[in-house]
Amino acid sequence: MAPLLDHKIGDAMLSSLPWRSKSNLLTCSLVLLIYLTSHPSLAKPSSLKEITDGNWEDILAGEWMIEFFAPWCPACQQLQPVWNEFADWGEDMGVNIAKVDVTEQPGLSGRFIITSLPTIYHCKDGVFRRYQGARTKDDLLSFIDEKKWQGIEPVSSWFGPSSFMMNTMSALFKLSMFIRRCHNYLIEHLGIPVWGSYVIFGLATLFSGLVLGLILVFIADFVFPSRRYNSPNYYQKKQTMEQARLIQQLEEEQEADGEEDDEDDEDGEQDDVWRRRRASPEGRPEEVLRKRVVGNREDQDEDS
């Protein structure tokens, strides 16, 4: 009865007001409603946090539940209302509820090795565990309230998001996304055909590989020089070997010149013999021919 009586009294007081006062009151209420709807920051702030490449190190302190999702994933779309309700309980339970859009943060996708969607991680003071339970609000709340995460084996430090290996993986994922965006820009904005884009990236890969190889060779030679170049007697031995090689080369040239001189001497002696024979009467060709003719005649006379 009391609420009904209060309601009647309120209606009586409102009806006793002048018409202009009622109009002003309705106008003020409408303006206040429009102001509140146009300024959502005055409403209750959302408990769901967004993790990016710039602030991901915040999850290394405190307790977190992190969902990795993609807008196009049907399973992620089904989980989203449950995850929003779970986030409303985060402040009461002392846990931070966050989400990561892998399409916008490819580096985090590589850092946490996301192979399926949605993927949920629990983090407590930098120790990560993968949640593989049911995806209902009650199961998620009991997982935190009953500390069921203690029975899950944590991720190895080698594969932790802050390890060197995962930093490298994150950089590779960022590079792949950058290449994909460049490819889309070439074919969509510049009108280059797909095969032309592949050719450009192939040439860029070859050139960068050559440059990187040269840099690695120079670094290796500088850091780990050859032992023979470090030897104090290396240059002295090199000079001695060079002198020995030159001496041997000179000796071989002298031997070759000596053999040529011997051959020239033999040829000269033979020429002298032939000259002496030609100079003697018996060595002339006409004398030899005459002797053969005379000899043939004498043989004929003896036969006759």
Side-chain angles (χ1 to χ4, degrees), residues 88-302:
D88 294 336
W89 288 81
E91 185 176 355
D92 297 333
M93 302 184 68
V95 61
N96 299 289
I97 313 301
K99 63 179 181 179
V100 178
D101 186 353
V102 296
T103 60
E104 297 293 335
Q105 309 297 330
L108 293 179
S109 177
R111 190 179 295 275
F112 287 87
I113 316 180
I114 304 302
T115 57
S116 61
L117 294 173
T119 298
I120 300 174
Y121 271 97
H122 173 269
C123 178
K124 176 70 174 178
D125 296 331
V127 180
F128 291 85
R129 295 174 173 86
R130 185 166 181 173
Y131 176 80
Q132 295 179 342
R135 298 169 183 170
T136 63
K137 185 183 72 173
D138 294 336
D139 290 319
L140 292 170
L141 291 174
S142 64
F143 180 79
I144 299 297
D145 187 42
E146 300 175 9
K147 297 184 178 181
K148 294 181 180 180
W149 50 267
Q150 293 180 348
I152 301 176
E153 184 178 359
V155 177
S156 173
S157 59
W158 286 95
F159 297 98
S162 57
S163 64
F164 173 78
M165 185 181 299
M166 293 299 101
N167 285 327
T168 305
M169 188 68 68
S170 175
L172 290 177
F173 270 68
K174 290 180 181 179
L175 178 61
S176 65
M177 185 58 65
F178 173 75
I179 293 175
R180 180 178 180 180
R181 290 174 180 173
C182 291
H183 173 71
N184 293 334
Y185 178 80
L186 291 176
I187 62 177
E188 293 178 1
H189 292 81
L190 300 182
I192 298 176
V194 176
W195 63 267
S197 177
Y198 290 158
V199 170
I200 292 174
F201 281 109
L203 295 176
T205 302
L206 291 176
F207 179 76
S208 59
L210 291 174
V211 173
L212 181 60
L214 290 175
I215 293 174
L216 292 177
V217 169
F218 290 150
I219 293 175
D221 289 341
F222 180 77
V223 178
F224 304 104
S226 178
R227 292 182 178 179
R228 63 178 184 176
Y229 294 110
N230 289 335
S231 177
N233 299 326
Y234 169 74
Y235 292 102
Q236 184 178 0
K237 292 179 179 179
K238 183 178 179 180
Q239 186 177 5
T240 304
M241 294 175 62
E242 187 69 20
Q243 292 177 354
R245 187 180 64 80
L246 292 175
I247 293 173
Q248 184 179 2
Q249 185 177 358
L250 291 174
E251 291 177 353
E252 291 177 355
E253 292 178 355
Q254 290 178 357
E255 291 179 358
D257 293 339
E259 292 178 356
E260 290 179 358
D261 293 340
D262 294 340
E263 292 178 357
D264 293 340
D265 293 341
E266 292 178 358
D267 294 339
E269 292 177 356
Q270 292 180 358
D271 292 340
D272 293 340
V273 171
W274 282 106
R275 290 193 190 94
R276 286 195 297 271
R277 288 182 178 179
R278 292 175 63 88
S280 62
E282 296 179 355
R284 296 176 181 174
E286 52 273 14
E287 292 295 332
V288 174
L289 181 61
R290 187 179 62 79
K291 287 183 178 180
R292 288 181 181 179
V293 172
V294 172
N296 291 333
R297 288 180 180 177
E298 290 179 353
D299 292 336
Q300 291 177 0
D301 293 340
E302 288 179 356

Side-chain angles (χ1 to χ4, degrees), residues 50-69:
E50 292 189 7
I51 303 300
T52 63
D53 284 321
N55 65 353
W56 77 269
E57 292 183 351
D58 294 343
I59 66 179
L60 299 178
E63 188 173 5
W64 293 75
M65 286 288 285
I66 312 160
E67 176 205 7
F68 292 84
F69 75 100

